[in-house]
Amino acid sequence: MDIVVDSLTYTYPGQPGPALRDVSLEVRSGELCCLVGANGAGKSTLCCAVAGFVPHFYRGEMYGAVLVGGQDTVQSTIGELARRVGIVFQNPFDQITGATLTVFAEVAFGLENLGTPREETVARVEGALRRVGLWEVRDRSPFELSGGQQQRLAIASVLAMDPPVIVLDEATSQLDPSGTREVWQIVANLYESGKTLLVAEHKMEYVARHATKVVLMEGGRVVASGPPSEVLGRDDLEAHGVGRPPFMSVVRALREKGLWDGEVPLTLEGAAEVLRKVSGR
Ligand SMILES: Nc1ncnc2c1ncn2[C@@H]1O[C@H](COP(=O)(O)OP(=O)(O)O)[C@@H](O)[C@H]1O
Ligand SMILES: [Mg+2]
């Protein structure tokens, strides 16, 4: 299911200026699109617009349109939107309902609220928990889990609803390196299974490795969008508040010195290969 953002300008209630300014963007079905940019660039607001929280929850003033699977978010009900788009936020703690005692019940919560038959709920919850590797801890309290596990739980709650589009808004920013790896493993797995993914992320090595498309934002505008090699290869990337993965900077420096004339790789392994070639081993 694709996402089309068409000339979207949005101002939060009572704010003097827009948080998004004439944003246009297309994410094709099955793509993994990463949003990058400094704090305040508008990444979260755009994520909320795709999920329909803007303007259904945040209100404010909106011009332009957001279409998910060809349907306008403004004209869709919250229920219709929830079936099409799932969203995972920054802070795992905020997403736990607090209304349930176990990991299993937490994932079942949304389905039960929709009046899903018991048998179907059980099957969907099991499927979602197995997919994120939390089936073994299904009887534990959500609050006993590690940060990485809590984010996987948030993803499982989304997966139980089986939306074709999944949005992650800096879902790894509160996590340590191992929690980040856990979450990205699942994101990569969701991409393989054909979900359409919109992922705001600061950790650029994951963006470089996994994105099919990168959108660079600044001041509520889209500055650039394209394949990761193109956007992360821009000379002015840092000027827009985004740091390149260090291994890319190393290979770029070799290229500037005339020691390497090939591509700049998007993975650490690729960069190691370049270094082996450059050093003649
Ligand atoms: N709930 C809100 N109410 C008013 N202004 C907001 C709200 N959330 C974000 N903003 C403002 O919108 C702009 C974009 O913020 P945001 O979308 O959170 O950027 P990012 O996620 O890239 O850091 C910022 O100027 C921010 O202060
Ligand atoms: Mg944000």
Side-chain angles (χ1 to χ4, degrees):
M1 186 173 279
D2 65 343
I3 304 166
V4 176
V5 179
D6 184 16
S7 312
L8 175 65
T9 295
Y10 170 74
T11 308
Y12 284 100
Q15 293 304 111
L20 295 175
R21 297 165 188 266
D22 197 25
V23 169
S24 291
L25 167 73
E26 200 175 331
V27 183
R28 284 194 301 271
S29 191
E31 254 192 314
L32 197 174
C33 177
C34 284
L35 298 177
V36 304
N39 282 334
K43 303 181 296 296
S44 294
T45 307
L46 184 53
C47 286
C48 283
V50 168
F53 288 24
V54 163
H56 286 279
F57 177 73
Y58 283 111
R59 308 284 168 187
E61 215 175 312
M62 174 173 159
Y63 299 95
V66 178
L67 306 171
V68 179
Q71 277 185 294
D72 195 310
T73 54
V74 174
Q75 260 116 55
S76 306
T77 65
I78 304 279
E80 285 167 348
L81 284 165
R83 271 186 285 278
R84 287 204 295 271
V85 189
I87 185 164
V88 177
F89 294 102
Q90 202 162 350
N91 192 341
F93 213 72
D94 288 348
Q95 297 171 81
I96 293 172
T97 59
T100 62
L101 294 176
T102 67
V103 165
F104 190 99
E106 180 70 20
V107 177
F109 190 79
L111 291 167
E112 280 166 353
N113 276 347
L114 290 179
T116 314
R118 181 71 196 162
E119 243 171 62
E120 188 185 339
T121 298
V122 170
R124 281 188 182 224
V125 172
E126 176 170 351
L129 284 175
R130 286 192 186 282
R131 194 136 178 212
V132 302
L134 291 180
W135 180 243
E136 307 307 323
V137 299
R138 62 189 175 280
D139 295 325
R140 297 254 285 277
S141 159
F143 294 102
E144 288 170 26
L145 304 181
S146 71
Q149 286 176 320
Q150 286 182 348
Q151 279 305 45
R152 282 150 61 195
L153 175 59
I155 295 172
S157 297
V158 162
L159 289 180
M161 316 287 274
D162 199 28
V165 177
I166 298 177
V167 177
L168 292 101
D169 183 16
E170 299 209 25
T172 72
S173 67
Q174 311 280 322
L175 304 182
D176 62 10
S178 71
T180 300
R181 260 195 309 277
E182 289 168 26
V183 166
W184 266 102
Q185 235 158 39
I186 292 165
V187 174
N189 173 275
L190 294 175
Y191 169 70
E192 292 299 326
S193 76
K195 297 281 186 198
T196 304
L197 293 147
L198 181 66
V199 182
E201 178 64 74
H202 265 304
K203 296 175 182 171
M204 298 306 292
E205 68 271 28
Y206 289 96
V207 173
R209 181 185 291 268
H210 295 290
T212 59
K213 175 177 190 163
V214 178
V215 174
L216 171 62
M217 297 184 71
E218 185 174 23
R221 295 182 196 276
V222 171
V223 173
S225 84
S229 56
E230 190 183 300
V231 176
L232 302 185
R234 285 173 71 100
D235 292 333
D236 64 355
L237 190 67
E238 265 114 355
H240 294 295
V242 174
R244 234 181 293 280
F247 63 80
M248 285 183 81
S249 299
V250 169
V251 177
R252 284 168 66 89
L254 290 169
R255 210 159 63 161
E256 268 163 39
K257 292 251 186 237
L259 294 168
W260 176 250
D261 61 2
E263 300 273 300
V264 176
L266 292 167
T267 64
L268 183 60
E269 298 88 317
E273 188 60 31
V274 169
L275 292 180
R276 268 195 293 277
K277 284 180 181 153
V278 167
S279 64
R281 281 193 287 143

